[in-house]
Amino acid sequence: METGKIGVTTENIFPIIKKFLYSDHEIFLRELISNAVDATQKLKAMVLAGDYKGEVGDTTIRVSVDKKKKTIKVSDSGVGMTKEELDKYLNQIAFSSANDFLDKYKEQAASLIGHFGLGFYSSFMVSDKVEVITKSWQDNSGAVKWTCDGSPEYTIDESEREGRGTDVILHIDKESKDFLEESKIEQLLKKYCKFLPVEIAFGKEQEWKDGKYIDTGKDKIINNTKPAWTLKPADLKEEDYQKFYRELYPTGDEPLFSIHLNVDYPFKLTGILYFPKIKNNIEIQKNKIQLYSNQVFVTDSVEGIVPEFLTLLHGVLDSPDIPLNVSRSFLQSDANVKKISAHITKKVADRLNDIFKKNREEFEKKWDNLKLFIDYGMITEEKFYEKASKFALLKNTDDKYFTFEEYEKLIKENQTDKNKTLVYLYSTNKTDQYSYIEKAKNKGYDVLLLDGQLDVHLINLLESKLTSSRFVRVDSDIIEKLIQKEETRESKLTEDQKEDLKSVFNVKVKSKEIFNVVFENLEENEAPVTITQSEFMRRMKDMSALGGGMNFYGEIPDSYNLVVNPNHNLVIRINDELKSADGDKLASNDTERKRVKEEIAFMEDEHKKKKADEVSQVEKDDLEKLKKELGDLENARKEVLEAYGSENKSVKQIIDLALLANNMLKGEELSTFVKRSVQLL
Ligand code: ADP
């Protein structure tokens, strides 16, 4: 027997390892099995190269738990180790690098374990003693046993082993006894080892016999050694991809389509990514991609490793260039990882472009489920936008799909305004904005449907990308002004009459919102009153609702325009009725105002002829008095007009109709409207 002291200067490395790795104790199993897989693969490589000529035999890696002895054993039939190798790999290399690593990376120790050949030592996180019994593939070597109880002292002894390979036996410590549960080990094997390339057996297959389950003689293999992503795309059919998706996510919607990644240069990367059906709420859909390194599971949170929008995809990525045990911040700054990320973005865009080109119909069918993903990509990744802008679609309110280019062509002629700006009209809700969409269509315009979760952002993006273009929601102004052309239309009412009607229509419409009365000379068959909300105002409110940091806009009340059409018969009639109802009052007010105005004009004229200091105080006071008189007269007039408006059923009725068309008439106001409608009939 031989004893020795492991070459560490730190008094006792294991408490440190335990402490650093506290949060992730379970990885010990992955590390041991990875080593067993490596040893097996090395042997297979030697067979291929003709360096090993002996019998290969069964290479299954066996994991077992002995609850009584409190041990977990991992056995392989790989290359094994000679006594010299054992000494070199387990005593010298691992510990010397452990030393370096402790010096340099105290802070990030936990995240760097795997990098420094410390994988094997992670077993001390859960054990108070570890034994390794190993026999090398080399003919003349006998078995050796290494034992270490977690102090820097170890022993190496001669031992017995039937064939080539290694057994690692962990004597599980008190705090870690959970790992002695078979169900726990099975769960870890499923998590980390599901796709390892060498068969791993844990327990036996069971069968139903005499009223209970009993073990058969057959090993229970827990892994699929040839997962779809490791096969050649040419050897796989669509069903195989679907089947593999089921293997990854037993309960989930069918994916829309998949991309098989297979890169050799400048780094190695394989994987299969699936486009899931993404309808809404991106947050809950994230982080379904599993990251592997040579078929060993690393993590399922790929944020920071792939671009944000790609975290919406499902599937697996496998790259030996992704280190096993590194921290997120390390990965994020890693040059290889960055390249991988850019490459995947490009591949994803190319694949989408392919489907779009080869089968537009299929692409359109899937668009509604793809839209959120592609929009997210375009908004967040410039490089993706460059490619996606060729195949991304816009859907109009008739459910027709267009590329950006096609759509521009479609609307160019009709929807360019007098300033040569191309106006994209859109609706966010076909039902609520129905009447506005109708009006736009009657004018020969096309209206897009932009009702998606990210459309507010998409609109901002497109306005910055498409030259001289503007997006305007179809209800943000009256139809004539949505897209302003050169032509002007006459008004059937004079400016004075309109001024009076402004007060008539200035009835308190609703409590919370602000309404500004404006006149637009529309055609006589257009609605008498229309309600609009400016695009700017609404967008600001939308953005603040999305948490865009513009809370200011969220607080101010909604303000709308109440657009009155002076060419509509009803408006003209209201004007005529006003004359017959309050005509006398208004006429005398008119006469009075005219007189006062003339007096003011005369006086001001007189004052102008004199020098400033020649105007007496009495004269100044007289002028002030007149001005006040005029103000009073104007107010009196307004009062008459407003009283008329608030008494007039037609005024209220056409305003309510406009509110109704805008889905803004609710509750008590709606019921008053219904009652009034019956009375008017
Ligand atoms: P790493 O695997 O990162 O090199 P480890 O500490 O896990 O670091 O292992 C150190 C070395 O010990 C390995 O590189 C390998 O040469 C040897 N080794 C570990 N486990 C086995 C095994 N099951 N069979 C053969 N050699 C092994």
Side-chain angles (χ1 to χ4, degrees):
M1 176 158 120
E2 204 176 286
T3 61
K5 203 166 169 182
I6 294 161
V8 248
T9 49
T10 317
E11 185 39 48
N12 190 335
I13 189 178
F14 301 112
I16 299 170
I17 292 181
K18 281 191 191 199
K19 195 170 149 241
F20 278 135
L21 294 179
Y22 190 75
S23 60
D24 234 1
H25 281 180
E26 63 179 40
I27 60 139
F28 80 91
L29 192 62
R30 176 186 76 186
E31 297 301 323
L32 293 185
I33 294 180
S34 295
N35 282 349
V37 167
D38 287 348
T40 311
Q41 302 279 66
K42 272 183 207 159
L43 186 87
K44 287 183 178 166
M46 284 181 353
V47 172
L48 282 182
D51 294 335
Y52 180 78
K53 299 204 169 62
E55 187 75 29
V56 176
D58 177 19
T59 54
T60 307
I61 293 166
R62 292 195 161 71
V63 181
S64 57
V65 178
D66 189 326
K67 233 178 153 169
K68 272 203 204 107
K69 289 189 189 152
K70 301 196 173 56
T71 56
I72 295 174
K73 183 160 105 176
V74 177
S75 300
D76 67 63
S77 309
V79 285
M81 285 175 272
T82 61
K83 194 177 156 199
E84 290 69 36
E85 284 168 336
L86 193 62
D87 187 49
K88 184 170 152 206
Y89 294 134
L90 296 197
N91 298 333
Q92 292 164 21
I93 292 193
F95 271 121
S96 59
S97 55
N99 218 11
D100 282 357
F101 127 86
L102 277 177
D103 280 351
K104 278 196 211 142
Y105 300 99
K106 280 206 176 70
E107 249 63 316
Q108 314 152 39
S111 56
L112 288 163
I113 285 285
H115 241 182
F116 289 83
L118 261 183
F120 168 73
Y121 280 97
S122 64
S123 43
F124 285 100
M125 293 189 299
V126 295
S127 321
D128 40 33
K129 186 164 102 180
V130 177
E131 295 170 284
V132 178
I133 300 166
T134 181
K135 188 166 167 180
S136 165
W137 61 280
Q138 279 146 355
D139 274 339
N140 49 358
S141 87
V144 266
K145 178 172 166 182
W146 178 93
T147 313
C148 183
D149 66 359
S151 70
E153 270 119 61
Y154 66 88
T155 61
I156 292 185
D157 231 342
E158 282 185 5
S159 184
E160 291 293 313
R161 197 184 196 276
E162 212 173 284
R164 173 204 76 222
T166 305
D167 304 323
V168 178
I169 302 153
L170 309 185
H171 295 262
I172 299 299
D173 61 28
K174 267 209 209 80
E175 300 91 82
S176 311
K177 62 176 192 306
D178 287 355
F179 291 113
L180 292 169
E181 296 301 327
E182 289 197 356
S183 58
K184 177 75 187 174
I185 296 297
E186 182 153 351
Q187 177 212 330
L188 294 182
L189 290 173
K190 282 258 173 315
K191 176 170 172 187
Y192 291 109
C193 307
K194 204 162 139 189
F195 299 119
L196 281 177
V198 179
E199 289 195 337
I200 296 157
F202 183 60
K204 300 287 177 194
E205 293 286 355
Q206 294 198 310
E207 64 179 9
W208 184 255
K209 213 174 171 185
D210 303 330
K212 59 179 177 193
Y213 280 108
I214 54 157
D215 282 356
T216 63
K218 210 170 150 233
D219 285 329
K220 187 163 88 191
I221 303 297
I222 56 99
N223 57 331
N224 170 4
T225 57
K226 288 200 173 68
W229 83 82
T230 63
L231 306 176
K232 281 202 210 87
D235 296 340
L236 293 165
K237 292 201 192 67
E238 192 46 42
E239 298 102 80
D240 298 314
Y241 288 109
Q242 299 280 350
K243 213 178 114 207
F244 184 59
Y245 188 81
R246 288 269 143 271
E247 216 176 316
L248 290 172
Y249 317 100
T251 60
D253 277 348
E254 294 272 285
L256 297 173
F257 30 69
S258 57
I259 310 178
H260 198 144
L261 299 162
N262 202 338
V263 191
D264 270 329
Y265 184 82
F267 46 82
K268 274 181 90 72
L269 174 77
T270 50
I272 298 175
L273 292 176
Y274 293 92
F275 287 86
K277 291 182 179 156
I278 308 172
K279 292 229 169 80
N280 44 44
N281 202 341
I282 358 186
E283 287 317 313
I284 47 171
Q285 321 246 4
K286 279 184 182 169
N287 276 329
K288 293 272 179 59
I289 296 182
Q290 303 177 0
L291 199 62
Y292 288 78
S293 175
N294 279 328
Q295 295 174 243
V296 184
F297 175 81
V298 179
T299 177
D300 59 2
S301 103
V302 294
E303 251 168 283
I305 299 167
V306 301
E308 176 82 7
F309 79 104
L310 291 177
T311 62
L312 287 173
L313 295 181
H314 295 176
V316 294
L317 294 174
D318 187 340
S319 173
D321 296 323
I322 296 174
L324 262 190
N325 277 303
V326 291
S327 69
R328 197 145 299 286
S329 58
F330 182 91
L331 281 182
Q332 284 163 16
S333 56
D334 188 83
N336 268 329
V337 172
K338 282 212 182 100
K339 269 189 242 153
I340 289 174
S341 164
H343 182 82
I344 298 172
T345 305
K346 180 179 173 298
K347 278 280 173 188
V348 166
D350 288 348
R351 168 83 172 133
L352 288 167
N353 193 35
D354 230 38
I355 300 171
F356 167 75
K357 283 226 172 100
K358 284 199 188 117
N359 196 343
R360 168 97 181 232
E361 206 181 320
E362 187 199 337
F363 191 79
E364 287 190 5
K365 258 194 223 138
K366 292 179 172 167
W367 176 256
D368 291 355
N369 282 305
L370 264 179
K371 173 178 162 61
L372 196 60
F373 170 79
I374 294 181
D375 287 353
Y376 197 19
M378 289 195 296
I379 292 163
T380 53
E381 290 288 321
E382 179 67 30
K383 280 260 171 340
F384 187 75
Y385 176 85
E386 278 165 27
K387 292 195 169 245
S389 56
K390 309 279 185 300
F391 57 73
L393 299 178
L394 293 168
K395 177 164 127 174
N396 73 6
T397 45
D398 296 326
D399 294 335
K400 285 208 185 81
Y401 296 89
F402 306 85
T403 62
F404 296 169
E405 202 185 305
E406 288 163 358
Y407 197 72
E408 187 183 322
K409 245 185 225 147
L410 178 82
I411 60 169
K412 184 121 207 155
E413 188 158 324
N414 228 352
Q415 295 180 215
T416 304
D417 72 8
K418 61 181 181 192
N419 302 319
K420 302 254 183 311
T421 303
L422 189 57
V423 181
Y424 290 72
L425 297 178
Y426 70 95
S427 159
T428 50
N429 188 320
K430 274 208 278 190
T431 328
D432 290 357
Q433 293 150 14
Y434 181 83
S435 60
Y436 297 90
I437 298 173
E438 277 300 296
K439 276 183 205 152
K441 281 193 192 158
N442 288 342
K443 249 192 132 45
Y445 297 158
D446 194 82
V447 182
L448 290 170
L449 182 64
L450 294 177
D451 59 353
Q453 195 186 355
L454 294 176
D455 279 332
V456 180
H457 298 286
L458 181 75
I459 288 169
N460 285 339
L461 174 77
L462 291 180
E463 279 182 334
S464 73
K465 294 283 183 191
L466 309 172
T467 38
S468 340
S469 299
R470 193 156 55 86
F471 279 69
V472 179
R473 198 164 98 174
V474 70
D475 60 345
S476 61
D477 212 328
I478 45 129
I479 188 72
E480 316 271 321
K481 288 185 81 184
L482 280 178
I483 304 170
Q484 268 186 305
K485 306 280 175 76
E486 290 297 355
E487 71 215 56
T488 46
R489 188 170 290 106
E490 298 283 303
S491 164
K492 291 191 183 159
L493 296 179
T494 65
E495 288 310 308
D496 281 346
Q497 286 170 325
K498 282 194 219 167
E499 196 53 41
D500 279 354
L501 283 186
K502 221 178 214 175
S503 301
V504 170
F505 278 89
N506 190 25
V507 294
K508 198 165 166 45
V509 192
K510 290 183 92 188
S511 42
K512 268 187 270 136
E513 294 89 355
I514 296 169
F515 288 84
N516 307 308
V517 182
V518 291
F519 278 80
E520 284 301 335
N521 304 340
L522 305 178
E523 280 180 54
E524 54 183 49
N525 58 5
E526 294 283 355
V529 172
T530 318
I531 286 163
T532 62
Q533 185 180 25
S534 97
E535 177 78 14
F536 173 78
M537 211 50 193
R538 207 203 57 255
R539 262 198 227 182
M540 288 304 161
K541 292 207 96 165
D542 284 352
M543 296 292 264
S544 92
L546 283 174
M550 283 180 270
N551 279 326
F552 165 72
Y553 288 101
E555 280 157 24
I556 55 177
D558 277 308
S559 96
Y560 296 90
N561 281 335
L562 199 120
V563 186
V564 183
N565 176 7
N567 293 331
H568 193 281
N569 273 339
L570 274 172
V571 177
I572 294 168
R573 207 173 81 198
I574 288 167
N575 183 61
D576 293 345
E577 285 169 2
L578 171 65
K579 233 185 268 162
S580 44
D582 291 318
D584 294 346
K585 268 190 236 166
L586 292 174
S588 69
N589 179 289
D590 252 354
T591 328
E592 276 295 281
R593 274 194 308 152
K594 201 172 159 222
R595 178 187 61 78
V596 178
K597 268 189 197 160
E598 277 169 6
E599 277 183 45
I600 291 174
F602 176 78
M603 248 188 207
E604 282 178 340
D605 235 32
E606 288 297 301
H607 290 185
K608 257 184 221 147
K609 284 179 198 154
K610 301 181 183 173
K611 282 186 191 136
D613 54 353
E614 287 170 358
V615 182
S616 73
Q617 191 56 42
V618 180
E619 286 170 318
K620 278 184 198 161
D621 289 349
D622 278 351
L623 181 59
E624 273 317 301
K625 229 165 87 191
L626 278 173
K627 278 186 179 163
K628 192 179 168 295
E629 201 180 329
L630 180 64
D632 289 346
L633 280 169
E634 271 163 359
N635 281 339
R637 184 179 189 87
K638 236 187 209 150
E639 261 166 48
V640 172
L641 294 167
E642 286 183 356
Y644 173 78
S646 60
E647 292 301 310
N648 188 301
K649 287 200 175 118
S650 305
V651 170
K652 284 216 153 157
Q653 191 72 0
I654 56 177
I655 291 176
D656 279 357
L657 279 169
L659 287 167
L660 198 64
N662 220 12
N663 233 342
M664 289 170 69
L665 203 61
K666 307 233 161 87
E668 194 189 333
E669 284 147 348
L670 181 59
S671 109
T672 316
F673 167 78
V674 172
K675 278 184 211 141
R676 191 189 321 114
S677 300
V678 175
Q679 285 168 13
L680 284 173
L681 288 172

